Amino acid sequence: MTTKAVRLSPDRCFSPEPSQRKLARSLYDEVRALPLICPHGHVSPALLADPDARFGSPAELFITPDHYVLRLLYSQGVPLEQLGVQRLDGGPVETDYRTIWRRFAEHFHLFRGTPTGLWLKSELLEVFGVDAPLSADTADTIYDALTDKLAQPEFTPRALFKRFNIEVLCTTDAATSSLTAHRSLRDEGWTNVRPTFRPDALLDLTAERWQSDLDALGELTGLEITGYTGFIEALGARREAFKALGAAATDHGVQTPHTETLSESEASALFEKALTRRATEGDVSRFTAHMLMEFARMSCDDGLVMQLHVGSLRNHNERLLNRFGTDRGADIPVLTQWTRPLKALLNAYGDSPSYRLILFTLDESSYSRELAPLAGHYPALRLGPPWWFFDSVKGMERHLDAVVETTGIYNLAGFNDDTRAFASIPARHDVWRRVTCNWLAGETVTGIIDEEEAAEMAYELAYGLAKAAYKF
Amino acid sequence: MTTKAVRLSPDRCFSPEPSQRKLARSLYDEVRALPLICPHGHVSPALLADPDARFGSPAELFITPDHYVLRLLYSQGVPLEQLGVQRLDGGPVETDYRTIWRRFAEHFHLFRGTPTGLWLKSELLEVFGVDAPLSADTADTIYDALTDKLAQPEFTPRALFKRFNIEVLCTTDAATSSLTAHRSLRDEGWTNVRPTFRPDALLDLTAERWQSDLDALGELTGLEITGYTGFIEALGARREAFKALGAAATDHGVQTPHTETLSESEASALFEKALTRRATEGDVSRFTAHMLMEFARMSCDDGLVMQLHVGSLRNHNERLLNRFGTDRGADIPVLTQWTRPLKALLNAYGDSPSYRLILFTLDESSYSRELAPLAGHYPALRLGPPWWFFDSVKGMERHLDAVVETTGIYNLAGFNDDTRAFASIPARHDVWRRVTCNWLAGETVTGIIDEEEAAEMAYELAYGLAKAAYKF
Amino acid sequence: MTTKAVRLSPDRCFSPEPSQRKLARSLYDEVRALPLICPHGHVSPALLADPDARFGSPAELFITPDHYVLRLLYSQGVPLEQLGVQRLDGGPVETDYRTIWRRFAEHFHLFRGTPTGLWLKSELLEVFGVDAPLSADTADTIYDALTDKLAQPEFTPRALFKRFNIEVLCTTDAATSSLTAHRSLRDEGWTNVRPTFRPDALLDLTAERWQSDLDALGELTGLEITGYTGFIEALGARREAFKALGAAATDHGVQTPHTETLSESEASALFEKALTRRATEGDVSRFTAHMLMEFARMSCDDGLVMQLHVGSLRNHNERLLNRFGTDRGADIPVLTQWTRPLKALLNAYGDSPSYRLILFTLDESSYSRELAPLAGHYPALRLGPPWWFFDSVKGMERHLDAVVETTGIYNLAGFNDDTRAFASIPARHDVWRRVTCNWLAGETVTGIIDEEEAAEMAYELAYGLAKAAYKF
């Protein structure tokens, strides 16, 4: 069997129409090599803090930890056990990485037309120099080639960090994280890896692990948290600790952006119910709505940018959750509204020059209906890039189509890769840069903007807006 | 008056951009003549069971039974009486078919830019060889030409079935249908026309005709249905009878996909209320939610594929309903959510290898928000093609744009024509084949997939996926 | 510093693909100069009634009154005070128009890619002959050039009205407006400026000013309004007065299109509660739902076309409302449903030949889901053009894409500019004419319609449909 080498078109993601393509290419040529600004993502800081860290086998790098990959394989009947995903009960799963890789290779056609497919092709070719098309036939050859590369010093996390030209990389860290890796990076003089403060678990009043998280919060801050006031104080202390290690932002994931200020006594009463394990789901919702107001207030004080990721119903498949835990590809979006739910927060802080709120949605119908109109009014507000399922060629195009006419590009927050798949970072930024340049080329050839404007906007979308939005 | 002959562009539905068009054409050339897989539709089996069946006059073939046609004429002020639609009260309506045809011809411009317009042009030209453009001026000539054709043996339903190269055609049949036509077809040796089990009427506990439908169910199965248990048993028996005549699937139309398992005693109590005519609208909703779970359970047992058509508010215009009955063009979609409503069903059966669920929506905002993420996870799930109003060039493009990046094409169920207009079947499949080929050509010329992948995907979309989804 | 002259491409808004562009241009050439039909807008009739009226300074013409402009400047941190917007408390704001203009010019890049940006460029160039690109550097030169023009007799409102080739212009007037300007225009023989009856304020039962509005209604009609019956009678009298001055339509702005007929006694009781200042928000909602039914009934009687603008949550930013009043760019859309809410109204009047209802939405997800299916059935219904944020190149394209396949173009109401920015009227109509011609060219080059059909449809979209929809 001979296999044709994979070729990535230098004009991929560009319109086939020659005048638009030509302009897209020339805009792209000016921004393709700009440093990467990565203000939101899920790379483990330990990967960079430890000079000896390695990515492991190809299966461990590309498959097991990537819920984008797992979900499509699962949707076509491949059990997660066969992909080496650890079971919570320690039951048997496939442990042979080569076998796992082969299963993935056999199903690689499932990714045709998906961004994951595009990123993977691009990683294999441009990061690892593998130009054979992945399939059952080539699985072993490619596995060997990757294994070989991953053993080389040029393919350690630190080496790739440098090669990827990353100017800044923010991780996402629980409020109760000890930040050991981040401290160690700072100690070594790395200032371009920054933590992000994510306190979600501490709002989940009914979760089994809530009390232990709270205990950890107390321990880390040296504060005794016996009630709501202490809780708020401890959160403030942790925010300071994050800031001291370079944090620029906080991150909050909620099912709905409902915001509402409770009275001190109401908030205290809810917290008390949680402490005595009597909190209900309704209590969690009200407490979350209140805490979003509190976090906004804190952001006004300490300047941390507030990111709000809204609308994912986590762990839709309970059987899978119980067997394998979270983040296995079964988080499903729900309809999201913003105008009324965010009114309390935006009325309180939306005009404040010291506040910055960045919104992310999984409901595209809210782009033009609510998000762009809101961002086109409130000075504190910026719109995050298309998130998750919409971090894709068409997802980006729809996003730009839907929001720019209403809010312009200067109320956008640029791009972030939001990934734990470190090796996919350049591919993801590259798609964004290509799509935005092509979109601007489209605006230009249809006479909406001129070439000079397009070039300035391409730079902003590729680089400037993200830096500005996160105040780097 | 001279009239220019209608010309259908051989490149219709293809992008005007030359590189994309060229590739679209070459992909299409490979799939255009594949046999038609018609897994869901509303053709009357009697039309095929009776060798002497004829289509009647042009008005009876193209106008009176087609709610796609009636609605647009009605929307511009043409009373249904003038189109020969029978009144329930037997009141006078137009009976002269030529007059009806003329009214239609006078208003044919209303269909410009609609899929119905495209199908009709295509049927007239490609099925009946009529190349004059339909208008008031040509109405009579065309009527005569069609009348002439319809009298010929080459234009009987059976002759067209063969000419259309239909590999399999599924009809939609009430659970209480006697399936006489299907039995007769089987007896003749036809195995390519199959019934589909549609039990909706039996869930409509408050409907006037519910008891008589239930009686029919009892009679057909020879079971005495005195309660819920007998009801379930009888449904199972009917499913077996459908399967014996070739059924591959069931079909369920609901306003919302809410699913919920009731306890045996709750279900029995609801059924008892229905038997004593005390059921409320709320009872119908809860019973429906429960029965969807039951039908899924039965599908796991008997292997019938479960189709769920969600979100049409039927008979919005009550005056019209009372005068002419159902299916007159006044069914209007409503906002539809899936993530939470389907959770019970998908948690119970979504991972089961013996279950297959195919979803259809009239709310495009749920494509990318909920349907594609769900289908990209649950192995039992496939997404049906764009339905009803979205069975159109742009409707298909939006569908592919919205779902493929998230779920790939291999979680789609291919195409179905969903029509009672038999003569429109090839035109509908042709639009799908053209649009999918053009869409794949777009993916190719923008460097997302390569030509070989595109060719394989074109075949799957045109033919393979539908066969696989329905397990033909 | 040298600045390149602004050039507006003669092919702007047209596809770059040569075959489509060529056809778009030829379609556009036939409709570009057709008279403007302006059936809905917010131009002050006094501007035309007074022959001596002038537009004031460039800041007063382009900035201060235009909430499309204010909102984007505000979103990037420019306080409205610095833009010369009057404070309700009479507090200090910028009064130097040149300074205000400079601030606007410095921020003009914010409008890149927005319709406001396109309109402004087009106004400056095509109405005022200013071809320097607006920026901080050119602010003063352009300000002087505009000031010069605005002092000339060719740039008075009346002169521009003539130059713009406006065939009919409808204003929007409170039910309690004295219509002095309209009376004066009629007295002078102007019949092409018409009032529109907007009774919204009178439904706002809990508003502080409700009683004084009601008093004004009584005074104008000479009726003593002591209860609901008198209220209805007075509204009817005002409608007659509007008709006598040329009104073709009424206009109604509501958050939701919920409709419901209350009994006479319920309606009377609600009205009584309002008179005694005891009405609640819930009462306002029910009364509004009922009054929509009443207004429809009145429209059947007097033939006024009923316009319904749905889904804006007004004055989201309360701080801004309290400081500057309404219409400052903080009206934000909300999710909108139509199928169930409008059922009562459409069942009562949707089939009536004497009724005409035109719908406008800010929730694009309802275009294809509900609005097009409804308009494709009910003869009384027409769909208004893309509204507000969607009065834009891509907004129009999405609108046509979403609705035409389902409802055709003959159930559309053509275009309206909906603006208070008089000088922007030609630019807005021009965008619509360009986009519709380009869209029709796209339909033609993809073989959906032929060139003759496209030409007829271009005329209808540019001119015919608006006249027909409003019965001019």
Side-chain angles (χ1 to χ4, degrees):
Chain A
M1 188 212 62
T2 67
T3 51
K4 245 182 11 191
V6 170
R7 207 185 63 89
L8 280 171
S9 164
D11 287 327
R12 61 189 180 278
C13 311
F14 296 160
S15 166
E17 196 286 315
S19 69
Q20 182 172 347
R21 174 166 289 200
K22 189 177 163 208
L23 182 55
R25 194 189 296 163
S26 94
L27 292 169
Y28 172 69
D29 282 343
E30 297 300 312
V31 301
R32 66 186 305 167
L34 287 171
L36 304 186
I37 305 293
C38 309
H40 176 70
H42 298 272
V43 167
S44 165
L47 210 59
L48 296 162
D50 175 5
D52 297 326
R54 291 294 179 275
F55 289 114
S57 73
E60 290 165 287
L61 176 57
F62 286 103
I63 307 167
T64 328
D66 191 338
H67 59 76
Y68 287 75
V69 169
L70 297 176
R71 57 187 282 281
L72 271 200
L73 297 171
Y74 187 76
S75 78
Q76 287 280 318
V78 183
L80 296 188
E81 288 87 345
Q82 292 187 11
L83 297 168
V85 179
Q86 296 304 313
R87 283 172 54 171
L88 295 182
D89 64 3
V93 303
E94 181 61 63
T95 54
D96 182 60
Y97 293 131
R98 186 180 290 271
T99 304
I100 293 168
W101 180 262
R102 282 179 188 153
R103 280 188 187 123
F104 169 59
E106 281 162 23
H107 289 87
F108 193 57
H109 62 283
L110 300 179
F111 297 92
R112 289 172 180 169
T114 72
T116 300
L118 190 59
W119 300 328
L120 288 168
K121 271 198 229 179
S122 164
E123 282 173 69
L124 288 172
L125 186 64
E126 303 194 328
V127 178
F128 295 99
V130 169
D131 71 356
L134 186 58
S135 71
D137 293 328
T138 60
D140 279 331
T141 320
I142 294 179
Y143 188 85
D144 292 335
L146 289 172
T147 304
D148 179 56
K149 295 278 188 194
L150 287 166
Q152 299 172 17
E154 295 84 353
F155 291 88
T156 64
R158 285 198 170 191
L160 289 183
F161 189 94
K162 195 161 175 188
R163 172 172 159 200
F164 291 171
N165 194 17
I166 294 173
E167 182 172 319
V168 59
L169 176 84
C170 296
T171 64
T172 301
D173 310 85
T176 52
S177 161
S178 63
L179 300 178
T180 315
H182 280 286
R183 191 164 298 108
S184 148
L185 281 160
R186 289 265 144 179
D187 289 347
E188 259 197 278
W190 284 55
T191 57
N192 45 5
V193 179
R194 298 161 174 262
T196 299
F197 178 77
R198 179 147 183 167
D200 291 1
L202 290 164
L203 308 192
D204 201 1
L205 305 183
T206 58
E208 227 173 292
R209 47 172 288 187
W210 181 74
Q211 183 62 57
S212 65
D213 277 331
L214 196 67
D215 293 344
L217 181 67
E219 201 164 326
L220 276 162
T221 55
L223 295 165
E224 211 180 339
I225 305 174
T226 56
Y228 172 71
T229 316
F231 178 62
I232 294 294
E233 197 184 341
L235 288 171
R238 286 309 292 153
R239 294 172 68 108
E240 284 310 315
F242 273 69
K243 272 189 73 173
L245 292 172
T250 71
D251 184 33
H252 309 270
V254 290
Q255 257 190 51
T256 143
H258 181 59
T259 55
E260 179 189 0
T261 298
L262 302 181
S263 70
E264 182 87 14
S265 63
E266 282 175 289
S268 294
L270 283 181
F271 196 80
E272 185 60 32
K273 281 180 78 175
L275 283 173
T276 51
R277 309 314 282 152
R278 293 174 299 122
T280 64
E281 282 312 305
D283 293 335
V284 175
S285 298
R286 295 193 68 217
F287 192 68
T288 300
H290 170 75
M291 286 305 299
L292 291 180
M293 298 293 290
E294 282 296 289
F295 289 128
R297 184 186 55 72
M298 294 181 199
S299 276
C300 288
D301 288 346
D302 61 22
L304 289 177
V305 171
M306 184 170 171
Q307 299 173 102
L308 196 54
H309 286 84
V310 176
S312 179
L313 185 83
R314 302 280 173 174
N315 310 307
H316 193 271
N317 187 333
E318 290 173 8
R319 197 188 64 83
L320 218 72
L321 171 68
N322 294 331
R323 183 172 279 235
F324 299 103
T326 58
D327 294 324
R328 298 312 184 194
D331 298 339
I332 311 291
V334 291
L335 188 148
T336 301
Q337 299 185 70
W338 303 86
T339 304
R340 291 189 186 98
L342 269 188
K343 194 174 174 197
L345 188 148
L346 289 172
N347 268 268
Y349 306 108
D351 297 321
S352 165
S354 57
Y355 183 54
R356 169 65 43 77
L357 174 65
I358 303 180
L359 300 179
F360 299 85
T361 194
L362 295 170
D363 182 353
E364 294 181 293
S365 70
S366 71
Y367 283 163
S368 71
R369 185 182 62 218
E370 302 175 61
L371 290 173
L374 284 167
H377 170 68
Y378 285 103
L381 200 54
R382 294 294 181 271
L383 298 186
W387 177 36
W388 200 331
F389 301 112
F390 308 127
D391 182 4
S392 64
V393 177
K394 292 174 204 303
M396 291 169 185
E397 290 171 346
R398 284 198 299 270
H399 183 85
L400 295 167
D401 283 349
V403 307
V404 174
E405 290 189 322
T406 294
T407 198
I409 71 151
Y410 297 91
N411 286 313
L412 307 185
F415 182 68
N416 69 60
D417 49 72
D418 195 5
T419 191
R420 62 199 78 215
F422 185 71
S424 74
I425 288 178
R428 291 171 189 245
H429 285 260
D430 187 61
V431 171
W432 171 257
R433 289 173 179 187
R434 288 176 174 277
V435 172
T436 52
C437 286
N438 182 59
W439 190 87
L440 292 166
E443 292 287 283
T444 310
V445 296
T446 52
I448 309 299
I449 55 175
D450 64 32
E451 290 194 28
E452 209 173 311
E453 291 172 321
E456 284 179 34
M457 294 163 86
Y459 176 86
E460 290 299 331
L461 287 163
Y463 182 79
L465 289 170
K467 282 188 84 160
Y470 289 86
K471 309 177 188 169
F472 290 137
Chain B
M1 190 211 60
T2 66
T3 52
K4 247 184 6 194
V6 170
R7 205 186 65 90
L8 280 171
S9 163
D11 287 327
R12 62 188 179 278
C13 311
F14 296 160
S15 166
E17 197 286 314
S19 70
Q20 182 172 347
R21 174 167 288 201
K22 190 178 163 205
L23 181 54
R25 195 188 295 163
S26 94
L27 292 168
Y28 172 69
D29 281 343
E30 297 301 312
V31 302
R32 65 185 306 166
L34 286 171
L36 305 186
I37 305 294
C38 308
H40 176 70
H42 298 272
V43 167
S44 165
L47 209 59
L48 297 162
D50 175 4
D52 297 326
R54 291 294 178 274
F55 287 115
S57 72
E60 290 166 287
L61 176 58
F62 286 103
I63 306 168
T64 327
D66 191 339
H67 59 75
Y68 288 74
V69 168
L70 296 176
R71 57 187 282 282
L72 270 200
L73 296 171
Y74 187 75
S75 78
Q76 287 279 319
V78 183
L80 296 188
E81 288 87 344
Q82 292 187 11
L83 297 168
V85 178
Q86 295 304 313
R87 283 171 54 171
L88 295 181
D89 65 3
V93 303
E94 181 61 64
T95 55
D96 183 61
Y97 292 130
R98 186 180 290 271
T99 303
I100 293 169
W101 180 261
R102 282 178 189 154
R103 280 189 188 122
F104 169 58
E106 281 162 24
H107 289 86
F108 194 58
H109 63 282
L110 300 180
F111 297 92
R112 289 172 179 168
T114 71
T116 300
L118 190 60
W119 300 329
L120 287 168
K121 271 199 229 178
S122 164
E123 282 174 69
L124 288 173
L125 187 64
E126 303 194 328
V127 178
F128 295 98
V130 169
D131 70 355
L134 185 59
S135 71
D137 293 327
T138 59
D140 277 332
T141 320
I142 295 179
Y143 189 85
D144 292 336
L146 288 172
T147 304
D148 179 57
K149 295 279 188 192
L150 288 166
Q152 299 172 17
E154 293 86 352
F155 290 89
T156 64
R158 285 198 169 191
L160 289 183
F161 188 93
K162 195 160 176 188
R163 173 173 157 197
F164 290 170
N165 194 17
I166 295 173
E167 182 172 318
V168 58
L169 176 84
C170 296
T171 65
T172 301
D173 310 85
T176 52
S177 161
S178 63
L179 300 178
T180 315
H182 280 287
R183 190 165 298 109
S184 148
L185 281 160
R186 289 266 143 178
D187 289 347
E188 260 197 277
W190 284 55
T191 57
N192 46 5
V193 178
R194 296 161 174 263
T196 299
F197 178 77
R198 179 145 183 168
D200 291 1
L202 290 164
L203 307 192
D204 200 1
L205 305 183
T206 58
E208 226 174 292
R209 46 172 287 185
W210 182 74
Q211 183 61 55
S212 64
D213 277 331
L214 195 68
D215 293 344
L217 180 67
E219 201 163 326
L220 276 161
T221 55
L223 295 165
E224 211 180 339
I225 304 174
T226 56
Y228 173 71
T229 316
F231 177 63
I232 294 294
E233 196 184 340
L235 289 171
R238 286 309 293 153
R239 292 171 70 107
E240 284 310 314
F242 273 69
K243 272 189 74 173
L245 293 171
T250 71
D251 185 33
H252 310 269
V254 289
Q255 257 190 51
T256 144
H258 181 60
T259 55
E260 179 188 359
T261 298
L262 302 181
S263 69
E264 182 87 15
S265 63
E266 283 176 290
S268 293
L270 282 182
F271 196 81
E272 184 61 31
K273 281 180 77 174
L275 284 172
T276 51
R277 310 311 284 150
R278 293 175 298 120
T280 64
E281 282 312 304
D283 293 336
V284 175
S285 298
R286 296 194 68 215
F287 192 69
T288 300
H290 170 74
M291 287 304 299
L292 291 179
M293 298 293 290
E294 282 297 288
F295 289 128
R297 183 186 56 72
M298 294 182 198
S299 276
C300 288
D301 289 347
D302 62 22
L304 289 177
V305 171
M306 183 169 171
Q307 299 172 104
L308 196 53
H309 286 85
V310 176
S312 179
L313 184 82
R314 303 280 174 174
N315 310 308
H316 193 271
N317 187 332
E318 291 174 7
R319 198 187 64 83
L320 218 73
L321 172 67
N322 294 331
R323 184 172 279 235
F324 300 103
T326 59
D327 294 324
R328 299 311 184 196
D331 298 340
I332 311 291
V334 291
L335 187 148
T336 302
Q337 298 184 70
W338 304 85
T339 304
R340 291 189 185 99
L342 269 188
K343 195 175 172 194
L345 188 147
L346 289 172
N347 267 269
Y349 305 108
D351 296 322
S352 166
S354 57
Y355 184 53
R356 167 66 41 79
L357 174 65
I358 302 180
L359 300 179
F360 298 84
T361 193
L362 295 170
D363 182 352
E364 294 181 294
S365 71
S366 71
Y367 283 163
S368 71
R369 185 181 63 219
E370 303 175 59
L371 290 173
L374 285 167
H377 169 69
Y378 285 102
L381 201 53
R382 294 292 182 272
L383 297 187
W387 177 36
W388 200 331
F389 301 111
F390 307 127
D391 182 4
S392 64
V393 176
K394 292 174 204 304
M396 290 169 185
E397 289 171 346
R398 284 198 299 271
H399 183 85
L400 294 167
D401 283 349
V403 307
V404 174
E405 290 189 323
T406 294
T407 198
I409 71 151
Y410 297 91
N411 287 313
L412 307 184
F415 183 68
N416 69 59
D417 50 71
D418 195 5
T419 190
R420 63 199 75 217
F422 185 71
S424 75
I425 287 178
R428 290 170 189 246
H429 285 260
D430 187 61
V431 172
W432 171 258
R433 289 174 178 186
R434 288 177 175 277
V435 172
T436 52
C437 287
N438 182 60
W439 189 87
L440 292 166
E443 292 287 282
T444 310
V445 295
T446 53
I448 310 299
I449 55 175
D450 64 33
E451 290 194 29
E452 209 173 309
E453 290 172 322
E456 283 178 35
M457 293 163 86
Y459 176 86
E460 289 299 330
L461 286 163
Y463 183 79
L465 289 171
K467 282 188 85 159
Y470 289 86
K471 309 177 188 169
F472 291 137
Chain C
M1 187 212 63
T2 66
T3 52
K4 246 183 10 193
V6 170
R7 206 185 64 90
L8 280 171
S9 163
D11 287 327
R12 61 189 180 278
C13 310
F14 297 159
S15 166
E17 196 286 314
S19 69
Q20 181 172 348
R21 175 167 287 201
K22 188 176 165 209
L23 181 55
R25 194 188 296 164
S26 93
L27 292 169
Y28 172 69
D29 281 344
E30 297 300 313
V31 302
R32 66 185 306 166
L34 286 171
L36 304 186
I37 305 293
C38 308
H40 176 70
H42 298 272
V43 167
S44 164
L47 209 58
L48 297 162
D50 175 4
D52 297 325
R54 291 295 179 272
F55 288 115
S57 72
E60 290 165 286
L61 176 57
F62 285 103
I63 307 168
T64 326
D66 191 339
H67 59 76
Y68 288 74
V69 169
L70 297 177
R71 57 187 282 281
L72 271 200
L73 296 171
Y74 187 75
S75 78
Q76 287 280 319
V78 183
L80 296 189
E81 288 87 343
Q82 293 187 10
L83 297 168
V85 179
Q86 295 304 312
R87 283 171 55 171
L88 295 182
D89 65 3
V93 302
E94 181 61 64
T95 55
D96 182 60
Y97 292 130
R98 186 180 290 270
T99 304
I100 293 169
W101 180 261
R102 283 178 189 155
R103 280 188 187 123
F104 169 58
E106 281 162 25
H107 290 87
F108 193 58
H109 63 283
L110 300 179
F111 297 92
R112 290 173 178 168
T114 71
T116 300
L118 190 60
W119 300 329
L120 287 168
K121 270 197 229 179
S122 163
E123 282 173 69
L124 288 172
L125 187 64
E126 303 194 327
V127 178
F128 295 99
V130 169
D131 71 356
L134 186 58
S135 71
D137 292 329
T138 59
D140 278 331
T141 320
I142 295 179
Y143 188 85
D144 292 336
L146 289 172
T147 304
D148 180 56
K149 294 278 187 193
L150 287 166
Q152 298 173 17
E154 294 85 353
F155 291 88
T156 64
R158 285 198 169 190
L160 290 183
F161 188 94
K162 195 161 176 188
R163 173 173 158 198
F164 290 170
N165 194 17
I166 295 173
E167 181 172 319
V168 59
L169 176 84
C170 296
T171 64
T172 302
D173 311 84
T176 52
S177 161
S178 63
L179 301 178
T180 315
H182 280 286
R183 190 164 297 110
S184 147
L185 281 160
R186 289 267 143 179
D187 289 346
E188 259 196 279
W190 284 56
T191 57
N192 45 5
V193 179
R194 296 160 175 263
T196 300
F197 178 77
R198 180 146 183 166
D200 290 1
L202 290 164
L203 308 191
D204 201 1
L205 305 183
T206 58
E208 227 172 291
R209 47 172 287 186
W210 181 75
Q211 184 63 55
S212 65
D213 277 331
L214 196 67
D215 293 344
L217 180 67
E219 201 164 326
L220 276 162
T221 54
L223 295 166
E224 211 181 338
I225 305 174
T226 56
Y228 173 72
T229 316
F231 177 64
I232 294 293
E233 197 185 339
L235 289 171
R238 285 311 290 154
R239 293 171 70 108
E240 284 310 315
F242 272 70
K243 273 189 72 171
L245 293 172
T250 71
D251 184 33
H252 310 269
V254 289
Q255 256 190 51
T256 144
H258 180 59
T259 54
E260 179 188 359
T261 297
L262 302 181
S263 70
E264 182 87 15
S265 64
E266 282 176 289
S268 294
L270 283 182
F271 196 81
E272 185 60 31
K273 280 180 77 175
L275 283 173
T276 50
R277 310 313 283 151
R278 293 174 299 120
T280 64
E281 281 312 305
D283 293 335
V284 175
S285 298
R286 296 194 67 216
F287 192 68
T288 300
H290 170 74
M291 287 304 300
L292 291 179
M293 298 292 290
E294 282 297 288
F295 288 128
R297 183 186 56 71
M298 293 181 199
S299 276
C300 288
D301 289 346
D302 62 22
L304 289 177
V305 171
M306 184 169 170
Q307 298 173 103
L308 196 53
H309 286 85
V310 176
S312 180
L313 184 83
R314 303 281 174 174
N315 309 307
H316 193 271
N317 187 333
E318 290 173 7
R319 198 187 64 83
L320 218 72
L321 172 68
N322 294 332
R323 184 173 279 234
F324 299 104
T326 59
D327 295 324
R328 299 310 183 196
D331 298 340
I332 311 291
V334 291
L335 188 149
T336 301
Q337 298 186 69
W338 303 86
T339 304
R340 291 189 186 100
L342 269 188
K343 195 174 173 196
L345 188 148
L346 289 172
N347 268 268
Y349 305 109
D351 297 322
S352 164
S354 57
Y355 183 53
R356 167 66 41 79
L357 174 65
I358 302 180
L359 299 179
F360 298 84
T361 194
L362 295 170
D363 182 352
E364 294 181 294
S365 70
S366 71
Y367 283 164
S368 71
R369 183 181 64 219
E370 303 176 59
L371 289 174
L374 285 167
H377 169 69
Y378 285 102
L381 200 55
R382 294 292 180 273
L383 297 188
W387 177 36
W388 200 331
F389 301 110
F390 307 127
D391 182 3
S392 64
V393 176
K394 292 174 204 302
M396 290 168 185
E397 290 171 347
R398 284 198 298 271
H399 183 86
L400 295 166
D401 283 350
V403 307
V404 174
E405 290 189 323
T406 294
T407 198
I409 70 151
Y410 297 91
N411 287 313
L412 306 185
F415 182 67
N416 69 60
D417 49 72
D418 196 4
T419 191
R420 62 198 77 216
F422 185 71
S424 75
I425 288 178
R428 292 170 188 246
H429 285 260
D430 187 60
V431 172
W432 171 258
R433 289 173 179 187
R434 287 176 175 278
V435 172
T436 52
C437 286
N438 182 59
W439 190 87
L440 292 166
E443 292 287 283
T444 309
V445 295
T446 53
I448 309 299
I449 54 175
D450 64 32
E451 290 194 29
E452 209 172 311
E453 291 172 322
E456 283 178 35
M457 293 163 87
Y459 176 86
E460 289 299 331
L461 286 163
Y463 182 80
L465 289 171
K467 282 188 84 159
Y470 288 86
K471 309 178 187 169
F472 291 138

